[in-house]
Amino acid sequence: KIPRPPNAFILYRKDRHKELKNANPALKNNEISTIVGAMWRRETEEIRTEYFLKAQECKNQLLKYYPQYKYTPRRSADIRR
């Protein structure tokens, strides 16, 4: 199975997760996600645009290796089986 390319927020969270975990080792993942989500909402357009461009680059790389890739989400009926 081909993994989905990460979106801008996922890339941002990945970068910020390391920083927060190093600064506060006691934080749990759900607490870090809450903090990073608030940080993302307050982030400047320049930073957000930077991450959107990184996400586009990741997507382009994926399409270069897997030109036939197309995201097809599972329907909720398929998940229950």
Side-chain angles (χ1 to χ4, degrees):
K1 181 172 162 96
I2 302 170
R4 279 178 76 182
N7 64 25
F9 176 72
I10 297 298
L11 294 172
Y12 179 82
R13 185 192 185 287
K14 189 179 196 182
D15 289 346
R16 297 301 182 264
H17 184 275
K18 293 175 194 171
E19 296 170 9
L20 286 171
K21 193 65 172 175
N22 290 336
N24 304 297
L27 284 177
K28 295 182 174 92
N29 279 333
N30 60 347
E31 295 168 329
I32 292 174
S33 291
T34 302
I35 294 167
V36 173
M39 291 168 64
W40 177 251
R41 285 188 290 279
R42 291 190 307 263
E43 205 58 78
T44 64
E45 274 304 310
E46 292 82 25
I47 299 295
R48 291 174 75 133
T49 301
E50 177 186 328
Y51 280 95
F52 281 112
L53 292 174
K54 285 181 183 182
Q56 187 62 45
E57 180 61 32
C58 288
K59 184 177 180 180
N60 291 341
Q61 284 292 99
L62 181 111
L63 291 174
K64 179 178 160 185
Y65 292 116
Y66 305 102
Q68 77 285 0
Y69 174 78
K70 182 174 185 270
Y71 176 61
T72 52
R74 295 185 300 178
R75 297 181 328 185
S76 58
D78 295 337
I79 295 172
R80 291 186 207 137
R81 293 181 190 174

